[in-house]
mmCIF file of all heavy atoms in Angstrom:
data_model
loop_
_atom_site.group_PDB
_atom_site.id
_atom_site.type_symbol
_atom_site.label_atom_id
_atom_site.label_comp_id
_atom_site.label_asym_id
_atom_site.label_seq_id
_atom_site.Cartn_x
_atom_site.Cartn_y
_atom_site.Cartn_z
ATOM 1 N N GLU A 27 0.931 -9.714 -6.985
ATOM 2 C CA GLU A 27 0.325 -8.845 -5.976
ATOM 3 C C GLU A 27 -1.179 -9.031 -6.088
ATOM 4 O O GLU A 27 -1.732 -9.090 -7.195
ATOM 5 C CB GLU A 27 0.678 -7.404 -6.224
ATOM 6 C CG GLU A 27 2.139 -7.132 -5.901
ATOM 7 C CD GLU A 27 2.491 -5.621 -6.074
ATOM 8 O OE1 GLU A 27 1.584 -4.799 -6.056
ATOM 9 O OE2 GLU A 27 3.680 -5.345 -6.182
ATOM 10 N N ALA A 28 -1.843 -9.117 -4.963
ATOM 11 C CA ALA A 28 -3.296 -9.387 -4.947
ATOM 12 C C ALA A 28 -3.926 -8.588 -3.820
ATOM 13 O O ALA A 28 -3.250 -8.030 -2.967
ATOM 14 C CB ALA A 28 -3.550 -10.881 -4.738
ATOM 15 N N LYS A 29 -5.256 -8.477 -3.902
ATOM 16 C CA LYS A 29 -6.010 -7.842 -2.814
ATOM 17 C C LYS A 29 -7.196 -8.751 -2.524
ATOM 18 O O LYS A 29 -7.724 -9.394 -3.448
ATOM 19 C CB LYS A 29 -6.581 -6.478 -3.259
ATOM 20 C CG LYS A 29 -5.475 -5.428 -3.411
ATOM 21 C CD LYS A 29 -6.084 -4.114 -3.761
ATOM 22 C CE LYS A 29 -4.959 -3.106 -3.929
ATOM 23 N NZ LYS A 29 -5.142 -1.929 -3.154
ATOM 24 N N GLY A 30 -7.553 -8.825 -1.252
ATOM 25 C CA GLY A 30 -8.670 -9.700 -0.924
ATOM 26 C C GLY A 30 -8.962 -9.588 0.540
ATOM 27 O O GLY A 30 -8.333 -8.895 1.321
ATOM 28 N N PHE A 31 -10.006 -10.351 0.937
ATOM 29 C CA PHE A 31 -10.368 -10.439 2.343
ATOM 30 C C PHE A 31 -11.087 -11.741 2.581
ATOM 31 O O PHE A 31 -11.654 -12.331 1.665
ATOM 32 C CB PHE A 31 -11.187 -9.282 2.829
ATOM 33 C CG PHE A 31 -12.583 -9.229 2.295
ATOM 34 C CD1 PHE A 31 -13.645 -9.839 2.942
ATOM 35 C CD2 PHE A 31 -12.876 -8.597 1.101
ATOM 36 C CE1 PHE A 31 -14.928 -9.835 2.449
ATOM 37 C CE2 PHE A 31 -14.132 -8.548 0.569
ATOM 38 C CZ PHE A 31 -15.152 -9.171 1.275
ATOM 39 N N GLY A 32 -11.021 -12.228 3.769
ATOM 40 C CA GLY A 32 -11.748 -13.395 4.236
ATOM 41 C C GLY A 32 -12.381 -13.026 5.561
ATOM 42 O O GLY A 32 -13.147 -12.116 5.640
ATOM 43 N N ARG A 33 -12.004 -13.772 6.584
ATOM 44 C CA ARG A 33 -12.515 -13.454 7.901
ATOM 45 C C ARG A 33 -12.033 -12.106 8.419
ATOM 46 O O ARG A 33 -12.618 -11.518 9.268
ATOM 47 C CB ARG A 33 -12.083 -14.542 8.887
ATOM 48 C CG ARG A 33 -12.786 -15.822 8.619
ATOM 49 C CD ARG A 33 -12.479 -16.834 9.698
ATOM 50 N NE ARG A 33 -13.086 -18.107 9.370
ATOM 51 C CZ ARG A 33 -12.673 -19.251 9.788
ATOM 52 N NH1 ARG A 33 -11.611 -19.306 10.580
ATOM 53 N NH2 ARG A 33 -13.284 -20.371 9.482
ATOM 54 N N GLN A 34 -10.935 -11.626 7.832
ATOM 55 C CA GLN A 34 -10.336 -10.333 8.245
ATOM 56 C C GLN A 34 -11.309 -9.185 7.987
ATOM 57 O O GLN A 34 -11.379 -8.247 8.764
ATOM 58 C CB GLN A 34 -9.055 -10.083 7.486
ATOM 59 C CG GLN A 34 -7.930 -9.669 8.272
ATOM 60 C CD GLN A 34 -6.630 -9.648 7.430
ATOM 61 O OE1 GLN A 34 -6.549 -10.238 6.392
ATOM 62 N NE2 GLN A 34 -5.645 -9.000 7.927
ATOM 63 N N LYS A 35 -12.013 -9.234 6.858
ATOM 64 C CA LYS A 35 -13.059 -8.294 6.483
ATOM 65 C C LYS A 35 -12.627 -6.820 6.402
ATOM 66 O O LYS A 35 -13.430 -5.961 6.489
ATOM 67 C CB LYS A 35 -14.260 -8.422 7.405
ATOM 68 C CG LYS A 35 -14.889 -9.765 7.276
ATOM 69 C CD LYS A 35 -16.205 -9.803 8.051
ATOM 70 C CE LYS A 35 -16.804 -11.176 7.882
ATOM 71 N NZ LYS A 35 -17.312 -11.772 9.055
ATOM 72 N N GLY A 36 -11.381 -6.576 6.256
ATOM 73 C CA GLY A 36 -10.935 -5.206 6.085
ATOM 74 C C GLY A 36 -10.925 -4.402 7.387
ATOM 75 O O GLY A 36 -11.064 -4.943 8.499
ATOM 76 N N HIS A 37 -10.787 -3.093 7.262
ATOM 77 C CA HIS A 37 -10.763 -2.218 8.426
ATOM 78 C C HIS A 37 -11.112 -0.814 8.036
ATOM 79 O O HIS A 37 -11.253 -0.497 6.849
ATOM 80 C CB HIS A 37 -9.378 -2.254 9.089
ATOM 81 C CG HIS A 37 -8.282 -1.814 8.197
ATOM 82 N ND1 HIS A 37 -7.655 -2.638 7.301
ATOM 83 C CD2 HIS A 37 -7.657 -0.598 8.054
ATOM 84 C CE1 HIS A 37 -6.750 -1.966 6.627
ATOM 85 N NE2 HIS A 37 -6.743 -0.710 7.068
ATOM 86 N N THR A 38 -11.335 0.055 9.039
ATOM 87 C CA THR A 38 -11.688 1.437 8.802
ATOM 88 C C THR A 38 -10.457 2.310 8.929
ATOM 89 O O THR A 38 -9.676 2.104 9.859
ATOM 90 C CB THR A 38 -12.773 1.875 9.832
ATOM 91 O OG1 THR A 38 -13.839 0.951 9.756
ATOM 92 C CG2 THR A 38 -13.280 3.252 9.497
ATOM 93 N N GLU A 39 -10.333 3.285 8.048
ATOM 94 C CA GLU A 39 -9.169 4.208 8.108
ATOM 95 C C GLU A 39 -9.672 5.638 8.053
ATOM 96 O O GLU A 39 -10.784 5.883 7.557
ATOM 97 C CB GLU A 39 -8.196 3.971 6.957
ATOM 98 C CG GLU A 39 -7.384 2.717 7.119
ATOM 99 C CD GLU A 39 -6.261 2.627 6.102
ATOM 100 O OE1 GLU A 39 -6.041 3.590 5.316
ATOM 101 O OE2 GLU A 39 -5.586 1.588 6.063
ATOM 102 N N LEU A 40 -8.883 6.531 8.613
ATOM 103 C CA LEU A 40 -9.213 7.924 8.585
ATOM 104 C C LEU A 40 -8.248 8.643 7.586
ATOM 105 O O LEU A 40 -7.058 8.470 7.666
ATOM 106 C CB LEU A 40 -9.010 8.509 9.982
ATOM 107 C CG LEU A 40 -9.662 9.808 10.294
ATOM 108 C CD1 LEU A 40 -11.172 9.747 10.147
ATOM 109 C CD2 LEU A 40 -9.274 10.244 11.710
ATOM 110 N N TYR A 41 -8.811 9.345 6.641
ATOM 111 C CA TYR A 41 -7.978 10.071 5.659
ATOM 112 C C TYR A 41 -8.537 11.476 5.476
ATOM 113 O O TYR A 41 -9.692 11.640 5.070
ATOM 114 C CB TYR A 41 -8.003 9.310 4.299
ATOM 115 C CG TYR A 41 -7.184 9.986 3.224
ATOM 116 C CD1 TYR A 41 -5.797 9.954 3.298
ATOM 117 C CD2 TYR A 41 -7.802 10.603 2.136
ATOM 118 C CE1 TYR A 41 -5.045 10.550 2.305
ATOM 119 C CE2 TYR A 41 -7.048 11.206 1.163
ATOM 120 C CZ TYR A 41 -5.688 11.198 1.237
ATOM 121 O OH TYR A 41 -4.927 11.791 0.295
ATOM 122 N N ARG A 42 -7.737 12.451 5.791
ATOM 123 C CA ARG A 42 -8.142 13.867 5.707
ATOM 124 C C ARG A 42 -9.444 14.142 6.412
ATOM 125 O O ARG A 42 -10.348 14.810 5.842
ATOM 126 C CB ARG A 42 -8.185 14.324 4.249
ATOM 127 C CG ARG A 42 -6.815 14.318 3.606
ATOM 128 C CD ARG A 42 -6.870 14.997 2.233
ATOM 129 N NE ARG A 42 -5.521 15.005 1.679
ATOM 130 C CZ ARG A 42 -5.232 15.575 0.546
ATOM 131 N NH1 ARG A 42 -6.179 16.164 -0.183
ATOM 132 N NH2 ARG A 42 -3.992 15.578 0.069
ATOM 133 N N GLY A 43 -9.625 13.556 7.546
ATOM 134 C CA GLY A 43 -10.833 13.774 8.338
ATOM 135 C C GLY A 43 -12.009 12.932 7.972
ATOM 136 O O GLY A 43 -13.030 12.963 8.651
ATOM 137 N N ALA A 44 -11.915 12.185 6.891
ATOM 138 C CA ALA A 44 -13.054 11.347 6.482
ATOM 139 C C ALA A 44 -12.694 9.896 6.791
ATOM 140 O O ALA A 44 -11.600 9.445 6.582
ATOM 141 C CB ALA A 44 -13.330 11.537 4.995
ATOM 142 N N GLU A 45 -13.699 9.218 7.250
ATOM 143 C CA GLU A 45 -13.549 7.767 7.591
ATOM 144 C C GLU A 45 -14.005 6.947 6.401
ATOM 145 O O GLU A 45 -15.072 7.215 5.838
ATOM 146 C CB GLU A 45 -14.352 7.461 8.827
ATOM 147 C CG GLU A 45 -13.966 6.141 9.482
ATOM 148 C CD GLU A 45 -14.743 5.988 10.801
ATOM 149 O OE1 GLU A 45 -14.259 6.463 11.865
ATOM 150 O OE2 GLU A 45 -15.811 5.316 10.744
ATOM 151 N N TYR A 46 -13.223 5.939 6.035
ATOM 152 C CA TYR A 46 -13.661 5.043 5.000
ATOM 153 C C TYR A 46 -13.224 3.643 5.255
ATOM 154 O O TYR A 46 -12.314 3.383 6.019
ATOM 155 C CB TYR A 46 -13.147 5.544 3.583
ATOM 156 C CG TYR A 46 -11.683 5.465 3.413
ATOM 157 C CD1 TYR A 46 -11.069 4.411 2.755
ATOM 158 C CD2 TYR A 46 -10.829 6.460 3.927
ATOM 159 C CE1 TYR A 46 -9.722 4.342 2.573
ATOM 160 C CE2 TYR A 46 -9.448 6.404 3.768
ATOM 161 C CZ TYR A 46 -8.920 5.361 3.075
ATOM 162 O OH TYR A 46 -7.541 5.278 2.917
ATOM 163 N N VAL A 47 -13.896 2.673 4.656
ATOM 164 C CA VAL A 47 -13.662 1.255 4.877
ATOM 165 C C VAL A 47 -12.721 0.730 3.793
ATOM 166 O O VAL A 47 -12.976 0.944 2.620
ATOM 167 C CB VAL A 47 -14.989 0.478 4.890
ATOM 168 C CG1 VAL A 47 -14.705 -1.024 5.025
ATOM 169 C CG2 VAL A 47 -15.907 0.956 5.965
ATOM 170 N N VAL A 48 -11.666 0.055 4.230
ATOM 171 C CA VAL A 48 -10.774 -0.617 3.292
ATOM 172 C C VAL A 48 -11.192 -2.089 3.286
ATOM 173 O O VAL A 48 -10.926 -2.833 4.219
ATOM 174 C CB VAL A 48 -9.305 -0.478 3.774
ATOM 175 C CG1 VAL A 48 -8.395 -1.246 2.825
ATOM 176 C CG2 VAL A 48 -8.911 0.962 3.854
ATOM 177 N N ASP A 49 -11.969 -2.470 2.254
ATOM 178 C CA ASP A 49 -12.479 -3.842 2.162
ATOM 179 C C ASP A 49 -11.395 -4.818 1.747
ATOM 180 O O ASP A 49 -11.294 -5.921 2.276
ATOM 181 C CB ASP A 49 -13.620 -3.935 1.153
ATOM 182 C CG ASP A 49 -14.875 -3.293 1.663
ATOM 183 O OD1 ASP A 49 -15.036 -3.158 2.896
ATOM 184 O OD2 ASP A 49 -15.748 -2.943 0.827
ATOM 185 N N PHE A 50 -10.655 -4.495 0.724
ATOM 186 C CA PHE A 50 -9.650 -5.375 0.157
ATOM 187 C C PHE A 50 -8.294 -5.078 0.737
ATOM 188 O O PHE A 50 -7.779 -3.942 0.575
ATOM 189 C CB PHE A 50 -9.650 -5.349 -1.352
ATOM 190 C CG PHE A 50 -10.934 -5.828 -1.938
ATOM 191 C CD1 PHE A 50 -11.910 -4.959 -2.407
ATOM 192 C CD2 PHE A 50 -11.205 -7.204 -2.007
ATOM 193 C CE1 PHE A 50 -13.085 -5.421 -2.928
ATOM 194 C CE2 PHE A 50 -12.373 -7.678 -2.554
ATOM 195 C CZ PHE A 50 -13.326 -6.770 -3.005
#
């Protein structure tokens, strides 16, 4: 199992009203 990013560059998610960036 791995985590990473390339051109995809992650995405933004909303959790309990707070927005955060998921990089990997």
Side-chain angles (χ1 to χ4, degrees):
E27 290 183 18
K29 291 184 182 232
F31 70 90
R33 290 187 184 155
Q34 227 172 342
K35 295 188 179 136
H37 59 277
T38 306
E39 287 190 5
L40 197 61
Y41 180 72
R42 294 189 178 184
E45 196 174 273
Y46 66 99
V47 177
V48 178
D49 287 338
F50 294 102

